[in-house]
Amino acid sequence: MTTTGEEHARGLTGPWWWARWRSAVLDGSLALASAVECGAEGVSFARDAGIPLWVGVLFGVIAGSALLVRRQWPIAVVLVAIAITPAQMGFLMGVVGLYTLASCELPRRIIGGLAGMSLLGTMIVTFVRVRQSTARGDLTLGDWFVPFAAVTTSLGLTAPPLLFGLYVGARRRLMESLRERADSLERELQLLAERAEERAEWARGEERTRIAREMHDVVAHRVSLMVVHAAALQAVARKDPEKAVRNAALVGDMGRQALTELREMLGVLRAGEDVAGGRPVAGVPLAAVGEAAAAAASRAVAEDGPCLSELDELIGQSAAAGMVVELSVMGEVRSYAAQVEQTAYRVVQEALTNVHKHAAGAKTHVRLAHRVSEIAMQVENEAPPEPGSASAARLPSGGNGLVGMRERVAALGGVFVSGPTDAGGFRVSAVIPAA
């Protein structure tokens, strides 16, 4: 496994230009070995050059110590090795310098040029030395051996470190590329995880809003009618027992209907939990679970929700509670998608509920228009007969009805408008695309 770029940066703890202490120790050891080698070879160099022995040794030690800076200035090390080649010293420095040069990220023309200079210098020096040995009679292998020894020696001292350095440099660059890709992938995964969490939070918020809207639509209308009928029952309990019995039966029916619809809503929520098995599933993103639950809930509500054919029953319930309601339908009656019909029904239902709450006893007009590519609905109530006592049943209002209707209509790409009329009443209008 490779370390990421952050861990690699934290690992740069060596002195000066070294990335690690072990690199500094390695270079120091190589420089020491090279200084010892060049110092020993400086003895013969001083003898051949006719200079003091200590000068040749000091020159060799100083030249050999150049390996200490091979990582920082590899070109300088190779040039020093080429420069002292005629003195027959610095073989270790030449080999290590060529390897370091080839493994660095330098242009190939520079590496090739310096390697060629090193090859040529080693070949010339070897050729001269071997020829001198042959002339003195130290070697009796013939004239063919001189160029052979020069070529093989120069290739042996140049080609292996050069090729090995190129291989190590390519491998290092590959590892750095893989490390960068790992860093990039880690950042992408972190970003994806953050986005997934955001989507999951958004899905949870949308689901909470949808559930709150459904609960409001289901409970508010039924309970409002129950409160109206209960108030009427209290008023007529002694005067008209038969009407009181009818009102009590209506209250019971509406309570049972409210309970039924609440059970359906709870069933939808449990269906959403069953998608995830009631608990987080290993290996499944939280956003996917939330989206699947939301989709299941939406399907269940769409299948079991109300439709436009139940408007007559809805208006009949309001009429039974004492409201004067007129329904007018324009256009050819046809069926729509389940979500469209459910949204249209909920708009009318919530508008009637608001009339019960805020304009009790006011005459209400419900208009439904079937158009070519859309369906329009309008619920308009006149001014209440007794201003100031519009809510005789003392129905509470949370102010979420109009917001929920607007959200429902906007989710389907429709237009929702509400506001008071000039005559003192209130009007709710909505247009929903049929598709």
Side-chain angles (χ1 to χ4, degrees):
M1 294 294 289
T2 61
T3 58
T4 62
E6 235 174 80
E7 295 171 348
H8 181 69
R10 288 197 298 267
L12 303 180
T13 57
W16 295 340
W17 57 81
W18 286 285
R20 299 175 181 83
W21 275 100
R22 63 183 182 183
S23 301
V25 172
L26 175 62
D27 288 355
S29 302
L30 289 174
L32 179 62
S34 178
V36 172
E37 178 207 349
C38 292
E41 293 167 345
V43 175
S44 59
F45 168 69
R47 189 179 298 115
D48 294 341
I51 60 176
L53 186 64
W54 66 272
V55 174
V57 173
L58 180 61
F59 173 75
V61 170
I62 294 175
S65 301
L67 269 183
L68 194 65
V69 297
R70 71 182 185 94
R71 297 178 190 266
Q72 188 72 3
W73 298 293
I75 296 178
V77 173
V78 174
L79 290 175
V80 171
I82 295 173
I84 64 176
T85 299
Q88 285 192 315
M89 63 174 60
F91 296 104
L92 176 61
M93 182 169 58
V95 171
V96 177
L98 281 176
Y99 160 77
T100 306
L101 179 72
S103 63
C104 291
E105 295 183 0
L106 291 172
R108 293 298 175 88
R109 63 179 182 275
I110 296 178
I111 297 175
L114 292 175
M117 291 171 58
S118 178
L119 175 68
L120 184 61
T122 306
M123 185 183 299
I124 293 173
V125 171
T126 305
F127 182 85
V128 172
R129 292 295 183 179
V130 174
R131 189 173 182 81
Q132 289 176 352
S133 298
T134 304
R136 287 194 304 266
D138 297 340
L139 295 174
T140 58
L141 297 176
D143 294 338
W144 63 270
F145 183 73
V146 176
F148 174 77
V151 171
T152 53
T153 302
S154 59
L155 286 176
L157 293 176
T158 305
L162 182 67
L163 295 177
F164 187 60
L166 290 174
Y167 164 75
V168 172
R171 184 176 181 275
R172 182 183 298 131
R173 285 188 291 272
L174 175 62
M175 297 300 292
E176 290 176 356
S177 174
L178 293 176
R179 186 180 295 116
E180 290 177 359
R181 292 178 61 184
D183 291 343
S184 176
L185 181 60
E186 183 179 356
R187 288 191 296 268
E188 289 179 3
L189 290 176
Q190 184 177 1
L191 182 60
L192 288 175
E194 292 175 357
R195 289 181 177 176
E197 184 62 28
E198 290 176 0
R199 287 196 298 269
E201 185 64 29
W202 176 83
R204 286 192 290 266
E206 288 293 314
E207 190 65 10
R208 284 194 294 267
T209 302
R210 189 191 65 81
I211 292 171
R213 189 166 55 241
E214 291 290 337
M215 295 290 287
H216 178 273
D217 291 341
V218 168
V219 175
H221 182 72
R222 302 292 184 190
V223 174
S224 297
L225 291 179
M226 289 171 63
V227 173
V228 171
H229 282 291
L233 175 63
Q234 184 179 5
V236 302
R238 296 180 180 179
K239 299 178 181 179
D240 192 348
E242 293 183 1
K243 188 174 182 180
V245 171
R246 290 196 300 271
N247 286 341
L250 285 173
V251 171
D253 291 341
M254 291 178 183
R256 283 187 290 272
Q257 291 175 4
L259 287 175
T260 301
E261 293 185 359
L262 284 174
R263 279 195 206 97
E264 291 176 357
M265 283 298 303
L266 294 176
V268 168
L269 297 180
R270 291 194 174 276
E273 291 178 358
D274 291 341
V275 173
R279 60 184 183 279
V281 181
V284 179
L286 183 59
V289 175
E291 290 174 2
S298 298
R299 286 195 301 270
V301 171
E303 292 173 358
D304 299 333
C307 56
L308 290 176
S309 61
E310 301 176 15
L311 275 182
D312 291 333
E313 180 182 354
L314 176 67
I315 292 175
Q317 293 173 354
S318 295
M323 179 188 295
V324 180
V325 189
E326 291 182 357
L327 172 64
S328 60
V329 180
M330 295 176 287
E332 182 181 355
V333 178
R334 64 183 188 275
S335 60
Y336 300 89
Q339 289 184 342
V340 173
E341 294 208 6
Q342 179 184 352
T343 301
Y345 180 92
R346 293 301 189 192
V347 169
V348 176
Q349 182 186 54
E350 180 60 28
L352 293 177
T353 302
N354 287 341
V355 175
H356 283 293
K357 289 180 179 179
H358 307 292
K363 186 177 181 179
T364 306
H365 304 274
V366 179
R367 303 178 182 92
L368 191 65
H370 298 273
R371 299 170 182 170
V372 177
S373 59
E374 60 190 16
I375 179 173
M377 65 225 64
Q378 184 183 87
V379 179
E380 180 180 354
N381 63 272
E382 299 177 357
E386 298 179 7
S389 61
S391 184
R394 296 180 183 178
L395 292 171
S397 175
N400 297 317
L402 295 177
V403 175
M405 285 189 283
R406 182 176 290 105
E407 290 175 348
R408 282 182 177 276
V409 174
L412 297 179
V415 178
F416 178 85
V417 179
S418 63
T421 62
D422 296 336
F426 199 84
R427 180 186 297 119
V428 171
S429 303
V431 178
I432 305 174

